[in-house]
């Protein structure tokens, strides 16, 4: 398939039409060549949709499209060459307009060589395009009316249904009740006296083997009978060591380090020995290792190890291969049949109509004819149902029913479901590009939507100008794209949710292996991944994913490296292996146009040092991901990567400082420094006006590092923790942070103390330490502790006239008054504040109640405040943590809101935690005359209360309905009765 040329040409035409490139053509004497280039691209562009349609059945047209894509990539590379040089020259004089820099660049005698080099490349490209246009004329493509507007309309049609989500859990299980019952009988009633029993579930791809396994795996009866429950996706290559490692990881929830095979076996025996466990081995294939005679590495070896479990331990194996079932099973296989027509029809209806019956009779008639073609496969029915849901015209339904796709046979031995091909062909072009990009990742890869969207943006698949002329943020557009693909079953939820650094839910997604097969089948020669490294030409590669530490029978390591080194036009290099290999340096040195470099978990310090010298030479780089690596420093030369948009250094525990001149990276959008404990921020970060992610900002006193650097960073999204607020000199300086204008912030932490020089911070952090920070509040606590909880206030620098204590308090109070957060904030943490009162935006009910989205609040180490804000008036506050308030003596009516405004007090509060208030003696009742003594007017949703280290608090208000938890020593815990 080669139908992605439209998505490449359209941005090029827009780029050449821009004012800067028209001016550039005049200044460098290339106006004629650039105009010819643009005109030729426009002439070709108007026939691309027709060409794409013909390419489905005509190899010559397919090859022509590949040639066009190749030259389009080269055009983009040449334009990038010029842009990078202009950015490099303009970085030294940032106050000058870019047009002046362009003029200087092309008029300088030192640039004559570069100028002629660019001119030569453009002339060569024009010659290639002329040849392509001649071929186009011979094909006699009709000019297509299929425009970008129609593409956008198709997306809009899909968007209107996004809120209905993808197929629900109940709907996915149509027609599988009998299958579930039979498998449950095996698990609960059969062979309970045997040490180990294995039931294979066999069936076609897409028939629902994994679904049935999940149905039983998540049944409450199973959870009561087995411990532990282990799920391992084996995939195509059965490797005993990998399977053992996955089992260990599944049980212990942490990655097992590289170790000797014997050590891993001992660890496996240790964690399951004597326990009645359930193990699901999903998607098992026999590539030779499963059935090998060597008893130490095949299935018999794994079975022998698993036999150490308790009596009644069970294993379920899902597979398409009857031979795998024969090798593994101790019982006869459970063969999963195709769904009955009625069940398939119900699945189709859920996607097509969102109800059980269609609104038009012709839809039912044609729909049933389409379902007949699904062969009883639920994946096919779901996919086609989602596709037809966006089609409202009868002719569209007829066209899909009668499509030639149904007649296509297997190609190159690859079986691609025609239902999935149809769903793909009816995607808009830009969604096709996003989907095919996923072929770079291996089967069973766990996708996180936000991470994938960031790659799409960096690759240029999502326009920063927005969608259909709107001003939507690219991430919001990407989210829509992803959810359309999710709804049409190109992605599916794993059912697992993990927690991010700030307490946010991170939903994990995968691709069904048949969908992944489709993406790999469609991917043109510009996409290279494990299975294609041998048969494709590296000169055509533009996107590459590699696993240098993995097992590749088709290529030996040296041959693989040599082949990759020839891919000089490569744009993206994504490592899907955590293993570090010295050959990365050799490979990178020959990739001048690399835009995306994704190398995580680098542990080899010699390799890291070599990479530090290599990476700064990748002048086109836009995304650099070195997260979870043992990096101690970054080279200053990295600030010459003027195109860099994403720099991810998160969880690089040994990193203590960032390059000094990072303000030169004017295109930087993402600076990932989560859990990175640096000493100070680089100077003048306020110049990075495009910055969207900055998890932490450390305030300094010197110019360029004050809080004023945040003034222009109003595009910040997500979370921000500001540390060292004690260094803000006055309210005017605090106002310059302009926090209230940062409307896309959702989590904000304010910390007054930060000094790593006196803290006991280790040079590297383990994964376990990293996982302790579940949200921004916990993260603030962690940072405060790591920097020394024992008040790391230093002796202040001598000043000419030290202010009086009263003046100092006034300044601190006014500083916090000037740090009013944006109104859409969801989480707020304040730590180590030593002013005498809370700010007006917290104390005045009419201001505080405007924070309607605030759900979590932490007030910690508040040294001198005597009264709490009217927090009872926060309408959506769910979690409240108050700790370390030595001056708090009484909780009175001010805490509830003084009875003003009526309504319920703490209407949404679920968790309340108060600790470390040694002088708190009195907690007043709420004395409103019409108080409902059953507590319905105060905190009706309150579930858990924890009060500790408040030794002088002798009485609590009745509305808390508390009882002491006598089982806990060292603190006083309470739990609300009759919790909702």
């Amino acid at each position: 398939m080669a139908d992605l040329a439209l998505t490449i040409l359209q941005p090029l035409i827009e780029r050449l039409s821009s004012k800067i490139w028209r001016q550039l053509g005049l200044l460098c004497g290339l106006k004629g060549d650039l105009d010819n280039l643009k005109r030729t691209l426009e002439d070709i562009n108007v026939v691309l949709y027709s060409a794409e349609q013909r390419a489905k059945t005509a190899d010559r047209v397919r090859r022509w499209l590949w040639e066009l894509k190749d030259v389009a990539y080269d055009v983009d590379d040449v334009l990038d060459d010029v842009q990078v040089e202009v950015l490099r020259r303009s970085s030294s004089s940032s106050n000058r307009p870019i047009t002046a820099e362009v003029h200087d660049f092309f008029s300088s005698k030192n640039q004559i060589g570069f100028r002629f080099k660019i001119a030569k490349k453009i002339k060569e490209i024009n010659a290639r395009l002329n040849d392509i246009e001649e071929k186009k004329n011979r094909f006699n493509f009709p000019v297509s009316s299929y425009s970008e507007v129609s593409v956008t309309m198709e997306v809009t049609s899909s968007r209107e249904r996004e809120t209905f989500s993808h197929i629900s859990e109940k709907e996915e299980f149509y027609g599988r009740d009998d299958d579930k019952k039979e498998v449950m009988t095996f698990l609960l009633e059969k062979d309970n006296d045997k040490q180990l029993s294995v039931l294979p579930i066999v069936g076609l791809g897409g028939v629902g083997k994994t679904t049935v396994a999940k149905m039983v795996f998540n049944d409450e009866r199973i959870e009561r009978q087995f411990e532990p429950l282990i799920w391992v996706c084996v995939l195509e290559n059965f490797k005993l060591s990998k399977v053992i490692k996955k089992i260990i990881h599944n049980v212990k929830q942490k990655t097992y380090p590289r170790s000797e095979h014997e050590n891993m076996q001992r660890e496996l025996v240790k964690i399951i020995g004597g326990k009645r466990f359930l193990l699901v081995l999903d998607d098992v294939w026999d590539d030779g290792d499963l059935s090998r005679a060597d008893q130490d590495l095949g299935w018999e070896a794994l079975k022998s190890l698993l036999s150490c479990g308790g009596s009644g331990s069970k294993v379920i194996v899902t597979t398409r291969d009857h031979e795998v079932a024969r090798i593994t099973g101790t019982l006869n296989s459970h063969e999963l049949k195709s769904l009955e027509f009625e069940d398939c029809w119900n699945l189709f209806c859920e996607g097509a109509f969102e109800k059980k019956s269609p609104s038009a009779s012709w839809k039912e008639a044609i729909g049933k004819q389409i379902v007949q073609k699904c062969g009883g496969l639920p994946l096919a029915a779901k996919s086609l149902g989602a596709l037809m849901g966006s089609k409202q015209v009868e002719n569209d339904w007829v066209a899909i029913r009668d499509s030639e796709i149904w007649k296509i046979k297997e190609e190159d031995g690859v079986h691609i479901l025609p239902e999935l091909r149809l769903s793909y062909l009816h995607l808009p072009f830009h969604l096709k590009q996003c989907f095919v990009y996923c072929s770079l990742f291996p089967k069973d890869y766990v996708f996180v939507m936000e991470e994938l969207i960031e790659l799409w943006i960096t690759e240029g698949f999502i326009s920063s100008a927005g969608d259909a002329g709107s001003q939507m943020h690219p991430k919001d557009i990407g989210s829509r794209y992803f959810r359309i693909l999710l709804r049409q079953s190109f992605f599916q939820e794993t059912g697992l949710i993990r927690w991010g650094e700030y307490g946010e839910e991170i939903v994990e997604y995968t691709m069904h292996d048949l969908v992944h097969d489709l993406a790999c089948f469609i991917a043109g020669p510009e996409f290279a991944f494990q299975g294609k490294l041998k048969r494709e030409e590296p000169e055509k590669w533009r996107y590459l994913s590699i696993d240098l530490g993995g097992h590749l029978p088709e290529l030996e390591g040296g041959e693989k490296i040599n082949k990759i080194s020839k891919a000089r036009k490569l744009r993206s290099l994504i490592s899907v292996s955590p293993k570090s290999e010295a050959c990365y340096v050799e490979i990178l040195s020959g990739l001048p146009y690399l835009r995306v470099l994704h190398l995580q978990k680098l542990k080899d310090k010699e390799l890291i040092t070599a990479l530090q010298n290599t990476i700064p030479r990748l002048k086109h780089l836009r995304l650099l991901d070195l997260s979870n690596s043992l990096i101690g420093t970054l080279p200053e030369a990295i600030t010459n990567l003027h195109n860099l948009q994403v720099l991810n250094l998160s969880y690089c525990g040994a990193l203590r400082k960032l390059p000094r001149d990072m303000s030169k990276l004017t295109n930087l959008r993402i600076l990932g420094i989560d859990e990175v404990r640096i000493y100070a921020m680089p100077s003048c970060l306020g110049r990075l006006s495009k910055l969207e992610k900055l998890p932490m900002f450390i305030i300094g006193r010197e110019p360029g590092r004050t809080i004023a650097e945040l003034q222009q960073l109003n595009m910040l999204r997500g979370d921000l923790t500001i540390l060292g607020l004690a260094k803000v000199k006055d309210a005017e300086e605090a106002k310059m942070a302009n926090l209230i204008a940062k409307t896309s912030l959702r989590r904000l932490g304010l910390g007054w103390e930060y000094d790593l020089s006196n803290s006991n911070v280790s040079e590297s952090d383990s994964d376990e330490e990293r996982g302790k920070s579940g949200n921004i509040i916990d993260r603030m606590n962690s940072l405060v502790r790591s920097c020394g909880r024992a008040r790391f206030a230093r002796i202040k620098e001598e000043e000419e006239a030290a202010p009086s204590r009263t003046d100092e308090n006034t300044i601190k109070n006014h500083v916090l008054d000037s740090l009013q957060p944006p109104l859409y904030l969801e989480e707020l943490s304040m730590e180590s504040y030593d002013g005498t009162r809370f700010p007006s935006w917290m104390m005045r009910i009419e201001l505080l109640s405007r924070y309607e989205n605030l759900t979590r609040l932490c007030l910690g180490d508040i040294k001198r405040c005597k009264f709490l804000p009217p927090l009872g008036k926060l309408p959506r506050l769910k979690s409240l943590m108050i700790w370390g308030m030595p001056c708090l003596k009484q909780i009175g009516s001010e805490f509830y809101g003084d009875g003003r405004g009526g309504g319920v007090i703490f209407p949404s509060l679920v968790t309340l935690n108060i600790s470390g208030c040694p002088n708190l003696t009195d907690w007043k009742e709420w004395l409103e005359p019409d108080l409902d003594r059953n507590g319905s007017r105060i905190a009706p949703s309150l579930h858990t209360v924890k009060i500790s280290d408040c030794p002088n608090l002798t009485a609590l208000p009745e509305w808390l309905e508390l009882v002491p938890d006598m089982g806990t020593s060292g603190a006083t815990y309470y739990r609300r009765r009759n919790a909702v």
Side-chain angles (χ1 to χ4, degrees):
M1 302 296 290
D3 54 354
L4 301 177
L6 182 62
T7 56
I8 302 169
L9 256 63
Q10 194 67 31
L12 280 180
I13 294 170
E14 292 173 2
R15 194 173 182 183
L16 289 167
S17 301
S18 66
K19 181 179 178 181
I20 185 64
W21 281 98
R22 290 198 303 271
Q23 192 168 15
L24 177 62
L26 288 170
L27 291 172
C28 64
L30 293 174
K31 184 177 186 302
D33 289 324
L34 290 174
D35 283 347
N36 288 337
L37 181 62
K38 175 173 168 285
R39 189 163 47 250
T40 305
L41 292 175
E42 287 174 335
D43 289 344
I44 295 172
N45 194 52
V46 296
V47 303
L48 274 184
Y49 179 66
S50 300
E52 186 266 337
Q53 298 302 307
R54 198 180 298 180
K56 297 172 188 174
T57 55
D59 287 340
R60 287 192 309 142
V61 177
R62 191 177 301 149
R63 287 193 296 270
W64 178 81
L65 281 170
W66 281 343
E67 289 177 25
L68 177 60
K69 282 196 295 181
D70 191 55
V71 73
Y73 281 125
D74 287 343
V75 172
D76 197 38
D77 288 342
V78 170
L79 298 183
D80 247 25
D81 272 333
V82 176
Q83 183 174 324
V84 167
E85 287 299 313
V86 171
L87 284 171
R88 183 182 64 81
R89 289 178 61 81
S90 64
S91 66
S92 59
S93 50
S94 56
N95 293 328
R96 301 186 64 197
I98 189 69
T99 51
E101 294 302 327
V102 171
H103 184 276
D104 288 352
F105 173 65
F106 280 101
S107 61
S108 169
K109 293 180 180 179
N110 294 330
Q111 299 298 329
I112 291 175
F114 184 84
R115 174 180 174 179
F116 282 106
K117 181 181 177 182
I118 293 297
K120 181 181 178 182
K121 284 186 176 182
I122 292 177
K123 290 180 186 297
E124 291 174 351
I125 286 171
N126 269 323
R128 291 166 62 193
L129 277 175
N130 289 336
D131 180 61
I132 289 172
E133 189 171 26
E134 285 182 18
K135 292 179 181 178
K136 177 205 78 173
N137 295 332
R138 291 200 295 270
F139 286 129
N140 292 319
F141 295 126
V143 174
S144 174
S145 61
Y146 191 86
S147 65
E148 283 298 302
V149 174
S150 64
V151 171
T152 304
M153 287 172 63
E154 186 167 354
V155 175
T156 304
S157 171
S158 296
R159 283 186 199 141
E160 294 172 357
R161 299 161 58 84
E162 277 182 50
T163 54
F164 294 99
S165 185
H166 62 298
I167 297 170
S168 72
E169 186 177 81
K170 177 182 177 182
E171 294 157 337
E172 286 184 22
F173 296 164
Y174 279 123
R176 294 302 180 203
D177 290 342
D178 290 342
D179 295 293
K180 178 183 177 181
K181 183 177 180 181
E182 188 169 334
V183 177
M184 288 291 291
T185 299
F186 157 71
L187 293 175
L188 298 177
E189 300 177 15
K190 289 186 178 180
D191 292 351
N192 289 335
D193 57 336
K194 295 183 179 179
Q195 203 69 19
L196 184 71
S197 301
V198 184
L199 174 68
I201 300 177
V202 186
L204 297 172
V207 78
K209 301 181 296 296
T210 300
T211 297
V212 171
K214 284 185 177 180
M215 289 172 69
V216 297
F217 190 81
N218 292 289
D219 191 284
E220 291 182 359
R221 291 170 291 172
I222 298 301
E223 294 178 359
R224 292 193 296 266
Q225 292 291 326
F226 296 93
E227 175 63 31
L229 299 175
I230 311 167
W231 184 285
V232 171
C233 187
V234 179
L235 283 178
E236 296 180 7
N237 295 321
F238 178 90
K239 301 298 173 191
L240 181 60
S241 59
K242 286 187 176 181
V243 173
I244 293 175
K245 197 176 283 190
K246 284 185 176 182
I247 293 174
I248 296 171
H249 171 72
N250 191 289
V251 176
K252 301 188 73 171
Q253 292 301 307
K254 68 177 183 178
T255 302
Y256 192 75
R258 281 182 285 178
S259 182
E260 295 294 330
H261 186 68
E262 187 176 338
N263 291 338
M264 287 195 299
Q265 291 185 1
R266 282 197 293 266
E267 182 70 13
L268 175 62
V269 171
K270 179 180 176 182
I271 63 176
I272 67 171
K275 298 177 182 177
R276 190 185 186 205
F277 66 85
L278 169 61
L279 169 63
V280 174
L281 296 174
D282 189 38
D283 203 6
V284 179
W285 296 66
D286 182 13
D287 64 345
D289 279 0
L290 187 76
S291 56
R292 63 189 296 170
D294 186 341
Q295 295 298 301
D296 293 332
L297 294 175
W299 166 255
E300 290 300 324
L302 178 61
K303 185 177 175 183
S304 176
L305 288 169
L306 296 176
S307 296
C308 72
S311 181
S313 293
K314 304 289 175 68
V315 177
I316 293 175
V317 172
T318 73
T319 181
R320 302 184 205 175
D321 191 333
H322 284 272
E323 182 63 16
V324 169
R326 186 192 65 78
I327 294 170
T328 60
T330 62
L331 292 87
N332 292 332
S333 303
H334 177 79
E335 189 158 357
L336 211 58
K337 303 296 184 181
S338 300
L339 288 181
E340 297 292 335
F341 175 82
E342 195 62 34
D343 294 317
C344 234
W345 170 246
N346 287 334
L347 267 178
F348 177 87
C349 289
E350 289 292 340
F353 315 119
E354 295 164 4
K355 53 185 179 180
K356 297 297 174 59
S357 58
S359 57
S361 58
W362 60 264
K363 284 187 176 181
E364 180 171 0
I366 300 173
K368 287 187 175 180
Q369 290 172 335
I370 292 173
V371 171
Q372 289 284 4
K373 297 175 180 285
C374 290
L377 296 182
L379 177 65
K382 289 165 58 180
S383 176
L384 280 177
L387 170 62
M388 303 317 297
S390 63
K391 308 292 182 184
Q392 303 304 321
V393 180
E394 185 173 359
N395 286 343
D396 291 339
W397 283 59
V398 171
I400 289 173
R401 181 197 65 189
D402 299 338
S403 172
E404 292 295 315
I405 296 294
W406 298 106
K407 303 175 184 177
I408 293 179
K409 304 298 181 183
E410 290 189 12
E411 300 180 36
D412 297 326
V414 179
H415 176 64
I416 304 298
L417 288 179
E419 298 88 341
L420 296 180
R421 289 197 199 200
L422 280 167
S423 294
Y424 169 79
L425 290 174
H426 284 78
L427 287 175
F429 284 105
H430 48 275
L431 289 186
K432 289 179 178 178
Q433 189 176 35
C434 293
F435 169 69
V436 173
Y437 185 77
C438 297
S439 66
L440 294 173
F441 300 91
K443 282 188 178 181
D444 200 42
Y445 184 84
V446 175
F447 292 95
V448 174
M449 180 176 69
E450 292 76 14
E451 295 172 1
L452 183 59
I453 289 171
E454 197 56 63
L455 284 169
W456 287 345
I457 294 172
T458 307
E459 297 284 10
F461 300 162
I462 299 174
S463 170
S464 59
D467 193 18
S470 73
Q471 296 303 310
M472 285 181 62
H473 192 280
K475 289 186 178 179
D476 297 328
I477 298 170
S479 179
R480 284 188 169 184
Y481 288 2
F482 185 91
R483 295 192 183 284
I484 292 170
L485 292 172
L486 175 65
R487 181 184 173 275
Q488 298 204 14
S489 299
F490 290 103
F491 292 103
Q492 58 188 21
E493 290 188 18
T494 63
L496 301 175
I497 295 176
R498 57 185 170 90
W499 300 101
E501 304 97 53
Y502 313 109
E504 73 277 22
E505 286 188 357
I506 297 179
V507 182
E508 297 180 344
Y509 303 89
T510 59
M511 279 185 165
H512 191 284
D513 53 0
L514 293 181
V515 176
H516 187 269
D517 288 343
L518 173 68
C520 294
F521 177 74
I522 291 167
E526 68 269 34
F527 289 91
F529 39 85
Q530 300 295 65
K532 295 179 70 175
L533 292 185
K534 184 176 181 179
R535 65 178 186 267
E536 300 292 356
E537 303 170 30
E539 293 80 10
K540 294 181 179 179
W541 295 351
R542 303 285 178 165
Y543 308 96
L544 170 67
S545 64
I546 54 174
D547 181 355
L548 291 176
H551 174 68
L552 286 178
E554 71 274 10
L555 277 177
E556 295 298 327
E559 185 183 352
K560 178 169 41 173
I561 296 164
N562 184 50
K563 198 161 191 177
I564 294 171
S565 299
K566 295 178 181 178
R568 292 187 57 80
K569 294 182 178 181
L570 205 63
R571 293 172 160 231
S572 299
L573 177 61
I574 298 175
S575 172
V576 294
S577 169
K579 299 179 181 180
S580 59
E581 300 285 347
C583 54
Y584 281 128
V585 179
E586 180 184 344
I587 292 172
L588 293 177
S589 60
L591 304 177
Y593 290 105
L594 202 63
R595 288 160 167 80
V596 170
L597 180 57
H598 196 277
L599 298 179
Q600 297 182 342
K601 300 182 180 179
L602 298 178
K603 306 300 181 186
D604 189 319
K605 292 188 177 180
E606 291 185 8
L607 166 63
I608 291 170
T609 301
L611 283 174
Q612 288 174 336
N613 297 324
T614 304
I615 289 173
R617 296 199 292 269
L618 304 174
K619 62 181 182 179
H620 291 268
L621 208 59
R622 297 177 184 175
L623 182 147
L624 176 60
D625 190 337
L626 299 173
S627 57
N628 284 284
S629 298
L630 292 179
I631 298 174
T633 58
L634 286 173
E636 288 294 329
I638 205 171
T639 61
N640 294 326
L641 300 177
H642 303 294
N643 262 350
L644 197 64
Q645 298 177 26
V646 179
L647 177 59
N648 190 2
L649 305 168
S650 296
Y651 310 118
C652 293
L655 191 63
R656 289 294 171 266
K657 65 176 182 177
L658 297 173
R660 182 178 60 254
D661 294 330
M662 285 197 66
S663 60
K664 292 164 61 178
L665 299 175
T666 53
N667 283 307
L668 197 66
R669 296 184 296 104
I670 308 293
L671 178 57
I673 50 174
D674 302 294
E675 299 301 312
V676 176
R677 297 172 182 175
I678 56 177
Y679 294 114
M681 303 304 293
S683 183
C684 301
L685 279 187
R687 296 177 184 173
L688 305 182
S689 58
K690 298 179 181 179
L691 208 58
E692 298 172 7
K693 178 176 180 179
L694 181 65
M696 175 176 61
F697 184 84
I698 303 165
I699 298 171
R701 287 196 175 93
E702 61 273 26
R705 290 191 172 91
T706 68
I707 197 172
E709 292 301 310
L710 295 174
Q711 184 172 20
Q712 301 301 321
L713 303 185
N714 291 333
M715 293 182 69
L716 290 177
R717 297 164 66 90
D719 64 278
L720 171 65
T721 298
I722 305 174
L723 298 169
L725 282 166
K727 296 178 181 177
V728 178
K729 64 181 181 180
D730 55 34
E732 289 304 313
E733 187 178 76
K735 281 182 182 178
M736 296 179 73
N738 200 20
L739 292 185
I740 198 168
K742 297 169 180 30
T743 54
S744 294
L745 282 182
R746 294 296 176 262
R747 296 167 288 274
L748 177 65
L750 302 175
W752 271 255
E753 296 173 343
Y754 186 82
D755 188 351
L756 275 181
S757 61
N758 290 339
S759 67
N760 297 319
V761 181
S762 63
E763 287 299 306
S764 63
D765 296 320
S766 68
D767 290 340
E768 294 167 279
E769 290 170 330
R770 182 185 74 189
K772 291 178 183 176
S773 298
N775 51 62
I776 198 168
I777 292 172
D778 296 336
R779 180 170 178 249
M780 285 285 293
N781 291 341
S782 176
L783 281 169
V784 170
R785 284 192 296 269
S786 69
C787 295
R789 177 68 64 80
R791 313 289 188 266
F792 27 53
R794 292 175 168 180
I795 300 174
K796 293 189 175 181
E797 299 174 0
E798 293 185 4
E799 301 175 2
E800 292 182 2
S804 67
R805 188 67 173 172
T806 302
D807 290 340
E808 186 179 325
N809 289 335
T810 301
I811 291 172
K812 291 175 180 177
N813 296 339
H814 288 170
V815 163
L816 187 51
D817 281 337
S818 301
L819 294 174
Q820 184 172 357
L823 297 179
Y824 294 103
L825 206 66
E826 296 173 4
E827 295 184 15
L828 174 64
S829 176
M830 290 173 52
E831 305 263 345
S832 303
Y833 172 58
D834 63 350
T836 55
R837 63 169 175 80
F838 285 102
S840 57
W841 46 267
M842 290 185 76
M843 296 302 293
R844 292 171 56 186
I845 292 176
E846 65 273 18
L847 296 180
L848 183 64
S849 59
R850 293 168 64 193
Y851 288 89
E852 296 182 355
N853 296 318
L854 196 65
T855 59
R856 291 175 61 90
L857 176 63
C858 174
L859 305 175
D861 196 19
I862 309 297
K863 304 176 180 68
R864 305 177 63 207
C865 290
K866 298 179 180 179
F867 303 100
L868 290 171
L871 303 179
K873 292 299 183 181
L874 286 168
R876 295 187 182 176
L877 186 65
K878 294 181 179 180
S879 174
L880 175 59
M881 181 187 299
I882 299 169
W883 61 269
M885 289 190 66
C887 291
L888 180 66
K889 297 181 179 179
Q890 176 180 287
I891 298 177
S893 60
E894 76 286 344
F895 182 59
Y896 305 103
D898 292 327
R900 284 178 282 171
V904 179
I905 307 301
F906 289 113
S908 305
L909 194 65
V910 175
T911 303
L912 176 62
N913 188 329
I914 299 178
S915 64
C917 301
N919 296 308
L920 178 61
T921 59
D922 191 15
W923 190 333
K924 298 288 187 182
E925 287 283 0
W926 175 230
L927 299 178
E928 188 177 0
D930 60 345
L931 173 66
D932 180 350
R933 289 295 172 183
N934 291 326
S936 62
R937 290 288 308 282
I938 303 182
S941 300
L942 190 61
H943 182 279
T944 302
V945 181
K946 173 183 174 181
I947 301 174
S948 60
D949 299 324
C950 301
N952 293 310
L953 182 61
T954 56
L956 294 166
E958 289 184 13
W959 62 267
L960 282 176
E961 298 181 0
L962 302 176
V963 293
D965 185 347
M966 304 307 294
T968 306
S969 60
T972 304
Y973 286 76
Y974 294 87
R975 186 177 298 109
R976 185 179 174 88
R977 289 198 190 103
N978 303 320
V980 177

